[in-house]
Amino acid sequence: MCGIVGYAGDKKAQPILVDCLKRLEYRGYDSAGLAVVNDGVQVYKSEGEITALETGMPSMEGTVGIAHTRWATQGKPTAENAHPLQGCGGKVAVVHNGIISNFMELKESLTSEGHEFSSETDTEVFAHLVEAEYEDGDLLEAVRRALKRVDGTYAFAVVARGRDEVVAARNESPLVIGLGDGENFLASDVTALLKYTNRMVHVMDGEVVRLTKDSVSIVNAEGAPVVRAPERIAWSLEDAEKGGYPHFMLKEIFEQPAAIHDSLLGRIGTVEGDESFLDDSSFSSVKIVACGTSYNAGLVGKYIIEELAGIPATVQISSEYRYSAAARENPLVVLVTQSGETLDTIAAAREARKRGNHTVAIVNVTGSAITREVDHVIYTRAGPEIGVAATKTFVTQLIALYLLAIELGSKSRTLTAQARRSVVGQLRNLPRAVQDVLNQAETIEAIADKYRDARDMFFIGRNIHYPIAMEAALKTKEISYIHGEGYPAGELKHGPLALLSKDTPVVAIVSRDHTYEKMIGNISEVSARSSPVVAVANDDDTEIGKFADEIIYLRRIPSLFSPVPVIVALQLWAYYLAKARGCPIDKPRNIAKTVTVE
Ligand code: F6R
């Protein structure tokens, strides 16, 4: 998991490469480097973030180059293991995102042929392979021949001494071409290139690309030319930048009313006019498959689908689904992934298709890998999300799950026209409900500040709010580094109560519905262990003050829809805890935005 960039134009490549690289930093930031073609191939790299690369970097002349920001998988995060990597002759330089699974055997065979290795990476074998094939001076052919020996996942970009071109290839790692005037670009993600162009061409698996300042050519795995029309990406550069907020995460939290609105746009109206996400088949069950935050969205989706469509739904972690036995029934398989590039989820999509299941992906990134692996796609339309912690993509995943449930419920006739109208009305009110929460940001910050020194924190909820407790715990742990656990409130007494003390705050999601009395009982169990209780409660709850130390009041809406405003309040909770603790909010340690390894 890394970010790669390529440039061929008539401007100095170095500042453009570094600028694009900074926009990819969310993909990994333990080391970085670049290579510029001039008399030879000049390489500069360093350990640490891109700012560390800039410090001490010499000025590099040349108008063609490649660059890389790394999230280590093979080999420690050191300058030696940073990309670009070169073969022993120094004729070519390579950047890579992915994993070469047969690199050990390739390394052995290359070593026996006399190649000397200077890093611990899998990528270096590819540099040696390309260099060995490059004798005839045709870089694209050399790359194609080298690829024949490589197993694994990759987006590679390669430059060679004396060549005014960048050659790139893709297999299961994202790669996009940006088309400019008198210059062309390559990157792992469109957001890296938006400052320079919005005309993009997605590279597909098996394809190899040659980029010069005034031409782009693509060939498929067999070497046949590929013609693909560019797409115009509607995201503006401003969309992809912080817009005045101190962190992308806060900006993205505040964008949620608009994101929900966009997600619903044109999709709910009359039954006949609605966008359809399914074919005409009917499904007797649904299986939702995802990782991390997207998995938590899936858990909420289970409640939504069972309620609105009356169909049983199960949820499974992608990396587990793949190895589980196929169920006897034929479920609709819903893959949830904001990036569309999470390899565990892509592998699960392939497995579902192998099992003969109909597949739907809920995804944010247009044209991402998963969209080519499934029968239908529901785009969440959240816009670019740069903060590593998913926020607006989670909330819009929930919206997509409501939409899917409405369609399933309408098809199965579980949802009457009247019930449907009421659900649609509730969805339309969500942007306002979220805005009400955002208006309370200062109150939430003040409460969070009191608990900034906690080491552990529990989050509890019942029914549809249980997965929201899980998601709040995940957000809290990943950005504030406070150990957070999400639990069904009724489950604390079966073990975790042993961990509670006056130093263990418990955040309780309290809804005035059929779970209310039981939830109050659970809060009392917590208070009896002297744990401070922070309740997220309805604004018409006049009793809660007797049981909780702090209260975040939210306007009451039906429980089926309240996961949306509640999670926004708890995203702010996690954000302000992390801010108070001085954590690097947009780039938490050890994790990256897109996980393209299994
Ligand atoms: C946490 C987070 C991760 C992702 C997970 C799956 O804030 O963002 O847990 O949810 O890595 O990523 P996607 O949704 O891209 O498949």
Side-chain angles (χ1 to χ4, degrees), residues 33-154:
L34 74 168
V36 173
V37 179
N38 39 45
D39 291 344
V41 177
Q42 188 180 359
V43 173
Y44 184 79
K45 48 196 195 171
S46 77
E47 194 180 323
E49 298 187 2
I50 294 163
T51 42
L53 178 80
E54 286 180 292
T55 317
M57 180 169 63
S59 171
M60 297 159 89
E61 298 307 319
T63 60
V64 172
I66 53 177
H68 187 267
T69 181
R70 180 165 185 250
W71 185 76
T73 51
Q74 192 63 53
K76 290 184 271 311
T78 60
E80 292 72 41
N81 290 335
H83 301 204
L85 287 146
Q86 296 190 272
C88 1
K91 277 190 267 178
V92 301
V94 171
V95 291
H96 169 215
N97 169 31
I99 289 184
I100 301 176
S101 46
N102 62 337
F103 98 97
M104 285 304 283
E105 69 192 65
L106 288 173
K107 193 167 180 174
E108 265 170 43
S109 121
L110 286 160
T111 307
S112 69
E113 290 163 25
H115 288 262
E116 284 176 19
F117 283 78
S118 54
S119 79
E120 304 162 323
T121 64
D122 51 343
T123 306
E124 193 182 340
V125 297
F126 191 67
H128 288 267
L129 285 174
V130 174
E131 198 171 73
E133 297 286 355
Y134 182 54
E135 299 307 330
D136 61 4
D138 184 338
L139 187 58
L140 184 131
E141 271 312 305
V143 168
R144 286 194 61 230
R145 283 198 296 271
L147 286 173
K148 290 201 168 73
R149 296 183 62 187
V150 167
D151 292 331
T153 60
Y154 51 79

Side-chain angles (χ1 to χ4, degrees), residues 417-431:
Q418 195 189 355
R420 199 195 124 87
R421 270 196 297 279
S422 149
V423 170
V424 165
Q426 291 298 338
L427 290 179
R428 289 211 167 108
N429 282 336
L430 283 176

Side-chain angles (χ1 to χ4, degrees), residues 290-296 318 336-343 345 362 385 387-391 393 397 471 474-475 478-479 591-595:
C291 311
T293 284
S294 300
Y295 171 76
N296 292 337
S318 308
V336 187
T337 163
Q338 69 79 21
S339 63
E341 301 287 348
T342 299
L343 205 48
T345 307
I362 294 178
E385 187 177 72
V388 165
T391 52
T393 54
Q397 285 169 349
E471 173 58 8
L474 178 58
K475 285 290 91 90
E478 74 178 316
I479 61 164
I591 51 175
K593 182 93 189 143
T594 309
V595 184

Side-chain angles (χ1 to χ4, degrees), residues 12 24 76 117 143 174 200 410 449 483 518 543-544 570:
K12 196 171 162 177
L24 287 181
K76 290 184 271 311
F117 283 78
V143 168
M200 311 275 179
S410 302
D449 210 41
H483 166 232
K518 292 276 163 37
E543 296 296 304
I544 190 69
L570 293 173

